[in-house]
Amino acid sequence: MKSASLFLTIFCVFVNIISKGQLVEKKETYDSKMFIPDSILMGYALQPKKLTASAVAIANIKNLNALPFRNLSNLLQGRLAGVNVINSGAPGSASRVRIRGISSLNGNEPLYIVDGVPMYDIQSLNPIDIESLTVLKDAAAASLYGSRSSGGVVVVTTKKGNPGLHITYSIYAGLQGTGKAPANLLNTQEYADLQWLVYKNDGTTETHPIYGPSSNPTPTLPSWAANTNWYNEVTKPAPITNHNLSLTGGNTNSNILVSLDYFNQEGVILNTNNKWFTARFNSNFKIKRHITIGENLQITHRSGLTFLNLSPDNAIGSVYRSQSIIPAIMNQSVAGISHSFIPGEWGGTGLAPRLGNARNAVADLTRNADDLNSDVRVFGNLYIAANIIKGLDFKSSFGGSYQNGYFSDYTFATYENVVNNPFSSLREGASYQGDWVWSNTLHYQRNFEQHYIDALVGIESLQLGTGRGVSGGRAGYFSDAVSFRTLSNGATITEANSYFNDGQKMYSSFLKIDYRYKNRYLLGASFRRDGDSSVFGNNVFGNYHALSAGWRISEESFLAESNFISDLKIRGSYGLMGNVIFANQTSANSNQSFTQTNLGVDVGLLKNKIEILLDVYKKRGSIQNTGLDVELKYADQITNDFSFGASLVITSYKNEIIDLGEGIDFVSSGNSTLGNLTRNQLGHSLSQFYGYQVQGLFQSTTEVSSAPAQPGAEPGFFRYRDVDKNGIIDVNDRSFIGDPNPTFTFGLNLSATYKSFDFTIFLNGSRGNDIFNYLKWYTDFWPSFQGQKSTNLLNNSWTGTRINAAVPKASVKSNFSTNTVVSDYYIEDGSFTRLRNIQVGYTFPGTLINKSGIKNLRVYLQGVNLITLTKYSGLDPELDGRDFAFGIDYGNHPNTPQYLIGATIEF
């Protein structure tokens, strides 16, 4: 409290000294061509975009909402320089958003500020309700949020009411395709032929329990053998639809917005789905000439069954582990090893020996159809704003969120697998979580002839993450009917859990001052002090500061009359940002600090038809990020009937680990059957793949004997590089074999209008990133798993006559030289270019619709994720993951195509 009192005292003296200045008229206008606000919300207050020396990225809201994604994080991909986004095609999944690289092993999520309320989970925010979105990238812009700012800050304001009465209804609906099935997996006959190749390579003679004696020239298939395409079995085309109804109204003293939204996306994976009901109520009222009160409120109910991306046991992973000979559903009676099957029952690995132990994914997905995962979330704020004296405004805002969730997960007893669940069981639980924030600010703006001062002082209290959860489980149900699935019906209590989170408590005070001279020379400074009681259960204080400066060269006399250069500004900033790592993320809780230096230039050419924004930065903490942000824009009304716009954003960063803690040189992660796939080591970037370098395949016993000693070496197996050149291949010969961090990512948006028609195309992509294709462990090595295999293993693997192969010999042997260690055999180029969106629209002329009471009517056709250009052999090169172990394909959900039709009607 003492620091807050000191700030207020200093500020009051400051106001008294400069009270003779002139009031600054505050306006907020929009660039109609680019749908970008001229004023941006930074650090609790609006600031003119052209007069800031900070590095910010401003979203084009029209472009964001062109895509049919319900989650805001999904919409940011490829739209903003300095923002890397990895999307998943799974319904209801959030994207991984990273602003200017990855700053630590944990806690790199951006801080989202929605109408002044801080959030880390923005899935419930409806993108249609967004008025503006600004990303604060450098310390000068973000450090005012102190210990939560290191991941960058995304400031969102939602729509408000407008004068008059406006009713708008929008709808889109369509179908999601399943995409292409894997093209490199064996059918039933090919799989049996591969078994015969293994016999030949290993010189083995036996009677196979399914295919008969190996002495036969070809294998014999049993009568129950299917030829199942498991990808086609676990996927289906799925509908998607969205309805939104909004009402806005107002006059000079009040305005209101009501927005109602329904979104339903069925997943292309069987029985996955995502359903939302959202209601938003925003209003403000001028109760006196200088006093305004208002509120922003959203209520959301969401439910669905999601897809677990980071697990090889998911439905996509099962496609690579289930043999095609297994029927999804039986069409004849078979006396299996685990069950006597009859027609209509699920098929499975219990039919015969050597079918592996993969589960029937179709059976599991069908049985899970009645599971439930839902929650209700309410968030928003109440505020009061008052003009105290000329140029001095006060605002107090109290807000937060409350979330109540429930889940029910029923697991059936199974019979079809080689290893089965003997009992059915139920897990059921509920939880709640809440947080609140109270912010109070004084904002002062004054002109003194050619001088301008903008000062903000504030205090803030908050509590995040307070909650409670309970869950329980029982097993041994006598009936699988839905009506019997309660915890009161069951034989044995198998689980009882509960938790309580006291949350993070913080008290803060902050000050920000901006000075301008002749609108040419810009200076800014900010300071924040955070007191945090959640770190180690003690009070920990952090001080965060930033300085910025800019020079608007275009305002100088030597450029004032230039017809070519419309705007030219150079700017720089330096500051300290923080990162509070929460207790539920790591046991090594700490309050980390990061410095960031930024240099940038903004250029406007030809009356700002062309805009160029360039930033270089260095962000230094336990991990150092250096990078380049590039944004190029063009917009012009070429003729009365034709306009064209284009924007290109390029994001490039390089990170380097410089501190992992005292005495720690590296941290390994990415657990798998092969061991750890990634190593985070000092002097290297995050999540680099670490293992052996393959120099080819041994071609002869002579080559084996003359090579460095290597366990399991024989013709047809991997030959590894002797990195330390000591004549022995061992753990000391491992090295870094791949890097999932991209050289750069990009997004290109093209738009045009001709008379009543409009056209938009959006591409995004990544270059220079590697992928660890873990699925190869299943498909390219016979002994890895008794599951599906690849056509490469059958047709392109090494044999005595096929000596130039890159795929190792099909053999039952599993050892160091084949499939038990990490090597660069699994590394592939993950670069891609994706046609993310293409849309053609038509707006009906007013002469045709105005007589019916319709003010505006637009219809459109849209395609999403139609084309992906990549060399990657998996389903999708866009892979999620943890910051210290990403770029690994365990069987990720692909981004599948969507075909939509939509309309917007305004009354």
Side-chain angles (χ1 to χ4, degrees):
M1 292 298 293
K2 289 183 179 180
S3 61
S5 300
L6 177 61
F7 275 127
L8 291 174
T9 301
I10 295 173
F11 190 76
C12 290
V13 172
F14 175 74
V15 170
N16 185 57
I17 293 174
I18 61 176
S19 59
K20 297 181 180 180
Q22 299 174 0
L23 176 65
V24 178
E25 182 181 4
K26 290 181 287 185
K27 295 181 179 180
E28 184 175 4
T29 58
Y30 288 84
D31 181 338
S32 60
K33 293 179 182 177
M34 302 303 294
F35 296 89
I36 292 176
D38 288 336
S39 295
I40 54 179
L41 189 59
M42 292 175 51
Y44 303 86
L46 284 169
Q47 186 169 338
K49 178 180 65 173
K50 291 184 178 181
L51 300 177
T52 177
S54 302
V56 298
I58 307 168
N60 183 319
I61 300 303
K62 181 181 178 181
N63 287 344
L64 283 188
N65 281 318
L67 284 165
F69 298 152
R70 181 55 180 75
N71 196 311
L72 172 61
S73 61
N74 299 98
L75 299 174
L76 297 178
Q77 186 180 50
R79 298 296 191 182
L80 301 168
V83 180
N84 283 98
V85 179
I86 295 178
N87 276 334
S88 166
S93 63
S95 296
R96 190 168 67 97
V97 179
R98 296 295 178 262
I99 298 173
R100 291 193 160 180
I102 302 171
S103 301
S104 67
L105 296 181
N106 291 287
N108 295 292
E109 293 75 18
L111 173 66
Y112 296 89
I113 306 294
V114 181
D115 294 324
V117 178
M119 297 180 178
Y120 286 95
D121 176 10
I122 58 163
Q123 290 194 64
S124 54
L125 179 65
N126 186 1
I128 295 177
D129 294 332
I130 294 175
E131 179 76 15
S132 67
L133 184 149
T134 303
V135 178
L136 312 182
K137 299 189 291 185
D138 70 347
S143 67
L144 203 62
Y145 291 94
S147 61
R148 300 167 293 160
S149 63
S150 72
V153 181
V154 181
V155 181
V156 176
T157 59
T158 57
K159 294 177 181 177
K160 307 296 186 288
N162 297 311
L165 179 63
H166 306 271
I167 300 174
T168 303
Y169 171 70
S170 61
I171 179 177
Y172 64 77
L175 194 67
Q176 304 163 97
T178 60
K180 294 183 179 179
N184 65 333
L185 300 181
L186 299 176
N187 63 33
T188 299
Q189 183 61 58
E190 290 171 331
Y191 193 96
D193 292 340
L194 177 60
Q195 172 67 84
W196 253 236
L197 177 62
V198 172
Y199 286 149
K200 179 180 178 181
N201 287 340
D202 289 344
T204 302
T205 301
E206 71 163 358
T207 298
H208 193 279
I210 299 176
Y211 305 132
S214 61
S215 57
N216 290 343
T218 59
T220 302
L221 299 180
S223 61
W224 53 262
N227 196 18
T228 305
N229 184 318
W230 284 101
Y231 186 83
N232 291 344
E233 292 292 332
V234 302
T235 61
K236 62 175 178 53
I240 180 174
T241 185
N242 180 243
H243 300 266
N244 182 268
L245 177 66
S246 67
L247 181 149
T248 65
N251 53 38
T252 56
N253 294 317
S254 62
N255 63 63
I256 187 171
L257 173 140
V258 178
S259 175
L260 305 175
D261 192 84
Y262 169 75
F263 176 84
N264 189 1
Q265 180 184 15
E266 296 293 326
V268 297
I269 303 295
L270 295 178
N271 295 319
T272 57
N273 55 76
N274 181 36
K275 185 180 295 185
W276 299 75
F277 296 93
T278 301
R280 172 165 285 277
F281 307 92
N282 289 354
S283 63
N284 63 68
F285 304 92
K286 186 175 288 187
I287 58 176
K288 289 187 178 181
R289 181 181 177 185
H290 300 299
I291 300 176
T292 300
I293 61 172
E295 57 77 32
N296 305 285
L297 177 67
Q298 180 170 309
I299 304 170
T300 299
H301 177 271
R302 59 182 174 178
S303 61
L305 297 176
T306 59
F307 174 90
L308 183 61
N309 243 355
L310 303 180
S311 169
D313 295 325
N314 61 38
I316 296 296
S318 72
V319 171
Y320 294 87
R321 296 183 298 112
S322 297
Q323 295 184 32
S324 55
I325 194 174
I326 302 171
I329 299 176
M330 299 299 298
N331 60 7
Q332 69 178 74
S333 297
V334 177
I337 58 174
S338 66
H339 175 74
S340 293
F341 293 84
I342 60 174
E345 290 188 326
W346 299 113
T349 53
L351 278 164
R354 301 196 190 178
L355 294 178
N357 62 1
R359 299 172 64 88
N360 184 329
V362 181
D364 287 346
L365 292 167
T366 303
R367 288 163 173 158
N368 290 339
D370 294 321
D371 288 349
L372 181 63
N373 192 354
S374 66
D375 64 30
V376 175
R377 190 181 189 198
V378 180
F379 68 90
N381 70 323
L382 301 170
Y383 63 89
I384 181 170
N387 177 240
I388 300 175
I389 61 173
K390 206 171 189 180
L392 178 63
D393 295 315
F394 168 77
K395 184 173 183 179
S396 180
S397 170
F398 182 84
S401 67
Y402 179 81
Q403 182 173 334
N404 196 313
Y406 168 79
F407 78 88
S408 175
D409 181 9
Y410 189 80
T411 301
F412 284 72
T414 60
Y415 56 82
E416 69 274 7
N417 305 308
V418 68
V419 178
N420 289 294
N421 301 326
F423 303 106
S424 55
S425 62
L426 172 70
R427 291 181 64 247
E428 189 173 12
S431 63
Y432 70 84
Q433 180 171 304
D435 50 63
W436 59 264
V437 59
W438 185 24
S439 303
N440 296 276
T441 59
L442 286 169
H443 187 203
Y444 182 83
Q445 299 180 86
R446 278 296 202 224
N447 274 341
F448 300 90
E449 296 180 352
Q450 295 178 332
H451 304 272
Y452 169 88
I453 291 179
D454 186 328
L456 179 86
V457 65
I459 56 176
E460 186 171 76
S461 299
L462 60 84
Q463 180 165 325
L464 298 176
T466 301
R468 177 79 184 270
V470 293
S471 64
R474 298 187 76 97
Y477 286 78
F478 63 89
S479 172
D480 291 326
V482 175
S483 57
F484 290 97
R485 298 180 194 174
T486 65
L487 294 180
S488 60
N489 290 316
T492 306
I493 296 176
T494 59
E495 176 189 344
N497 294 306
S498 68
Y499 69 87
F500 177 78
N501 287 334
D502 192 31
Q504 176 194 18
K505 301 178 181 69
M506 184 181 294
Y507 177 82
S508 308
S509 52
F510 50 89
L511 172 67
K512 187 177 191 296
I513 299 177
D514 290 295
Y515 168 78
R516 299 198 300 267
Y517 176 66
K518 291 185 178 182
N519 281 346
R520 299 178 192 171
Y521 312 112
L522 317 174
L523 293 174
S526 65
F527 176 80
R528 180 172 180 127
R529 180 173 173 82
D530 283 339
D532 184 355
S533 65
S534 66
V535 181
F536 298 113
N538 301 315
N539 291 321
V540 175
F541 295 92
N543 297 319
Y544 307 93
H545 55 79
L547 298 172
S548 63
W551 178 21
R552 294 191 69 205
I553 304 174
S554 54
E555 295 297 306
E556 299 290 355
S557 58
F558 57 85
L559 282 179
E561 303 300 324
S562 173
N563 293 323
F564 180 69
I565 299 177
S566 314
D567 187 44
L568 176 59
K569 176 176 62 178
I570 59 174
R571 47 188 168 75
S573 66
Y574 173 83
L576 187 68
M577 309 163 75
N579 182 1
V580 174
I581 299 178
F582 299 102
N584 62 348
Q585 291 178 320
T586 175
S587 59
N589 297 324
S590 62
N591 191 332
Q592 301 183 24
S593 295
F594 302 82
T595 62
Q596 185 172 179
T597 305
N598 189 92
L599 295 174
V601 58
D602 301 344
V603 182
L605 304 176
L606 302 175
K607 297 182 180 180
N608 289 328
K609 292 179 182 178
I610 299 174
E611 293 183 57
I612 305 170
L613 289 80
L614 301 174
D615 282 277
V616 293
Y617 63 88
K618 176 182 287 187
K619 188 176 179 183
R620 184 177 177 87
S622 59
I623 297 171
Q624 177 175 284
N625 289 271
T626 56
L628 171 68
D629 300 341
V630 180
E631 188 170 358
L632 308 175
K633 300 178 183 178
Y634 172 81
D636 191 18
Q637 185 73 39
I638 297 174
T639 68
N640 289 335
D641 293 332
F642 180 68
S643 66
F644 178 75
S647 64
L648 171 67
V649 298
I650 298 174
T651 298
S652 177
Y653 74 89
K654 181 179 180 181
N655 61 40
E656 179 184 349
I657 302 170
I658 59 178
D659 182 21
L660 289 170
E662 186 176 355
I664 301 176
D665 294 327
F666 66 87
V667 176
S668 297
S669 192
N671 295 333
S672 72
T673 306
L674 293 170
N676 291 312
L677 307 180
T678 68
R679 174 174 283 196
N680 300 280
Q681 182 169 307
L682 297 179
H684 293 266
S685 57
L686 276 166
S687 191
Q688 281 191 266
F689 307 123
Y690 192 76
Y692 296 91
Q693 299 178 38
V694 175
Q695 292 190 302
L697 303 178
F698 287 109
Q699 300 299 324
S700 65
T701 55
T702 302
E703 183 180 351
V704 171
S705 61
S706 62
Q710 178 177 313
E714 67 175 74
F717 289 171
F718 290 135
R719 176 176 180 171
Y720 301 124
R721 181 186 173 196
D722 185 8
V723 174
D724 60 9
K725 300 190 183 302
N726 67 349
I728 301 174
I729 305 297
D730 56 21
V731 293
N732 297 317
D733 292 299
R734 293 177 299 170
S735 61
F736 290 95
I737 56 176
D739 190 344
N741 295 277
T743 304
F744 68 92
T745 60
F746 68 92
L748 174 64
N749 196 87
L750 305 173
S751 60
T753 62
Y754 178 72
K755 294 184 177 181
S756 296
F757 291 92
D758 59 85
F759 174 79
T760 300
I761 184 170
F762 174 53
L763 301 98
N764 75 284
S766 178
R767 287 291 179 273
N769 56 296
D770 293 321
I771 289 175
F772 194 101
N773 188 351
Y774 182 68
L775 297 172
K776 283 186 174 181
W777 184 83
Y778 290 105
T779 62
D780 286 9
F781 301 93
W782 180 259
S784 288
F785 188 86
Q786 289 179 334
Q788 181 59 285
K789 302 301 172 186
S790 70
T791 54
N792 276 334
L793 187 58
L794 174 64
N795 301 319
N796 300 314
S797 60
W798 187 95
T799 66
T801 57
R802 196 160 53 202
I803 60 175
N804 294 320
V807 181
K809 177 174 59 177
S811 170
V812 75
K813 297 176 183 178
S814 175
N815 57 45
F816 181 91
S817 295
T818 57
N819 68 330
T820 64
V821 297
V822 179
S823 74
D824 59 7
Y825 177 78
Y826 303 91
I827 305 299
E828 296 188 43
D829 182 5
S831 302
F832 71 92
T833 298
R834 172 168 284 149
L835 177 58
R836 179 68 71 177
N837 182 46
I838 185 169
Q839 188 178 114
V840 178
Y842 178 79
T843 301
F844 286 84
T847 54
L848 295 178
I849 59 175
N850 288 348
K851 292 182 180 180
S852 62
I854 298 175
K855 181 180 178 181
N856 186 64
L857 172 60
R858 176 179 177 267
V859 296
Y860 62 90
L861 296 173
Q862 183 174 18
V864 180
N865 298 329
L866 297 186
I867 301 173
T868 300
L869 303 177
T870 183
K871 295 180 180 178
Y872 180 58
S873 65
L875 291 179
D876 195 331
E878 197 169 345
L879 299 171
D880 199 1
R882 296 167 293 175
D883 288 338
F884 49 85
F886 63 95
I888 305 170
D889 191 351
Y890 293 111
N892 67 305
H893 193 299
N895 288 272
T896 58
Q898 299 179 17
Y899 311 92
L900 306 170
I901 183 171
T904 300
I905 307 172
E906 184 178 355
F907 299 94

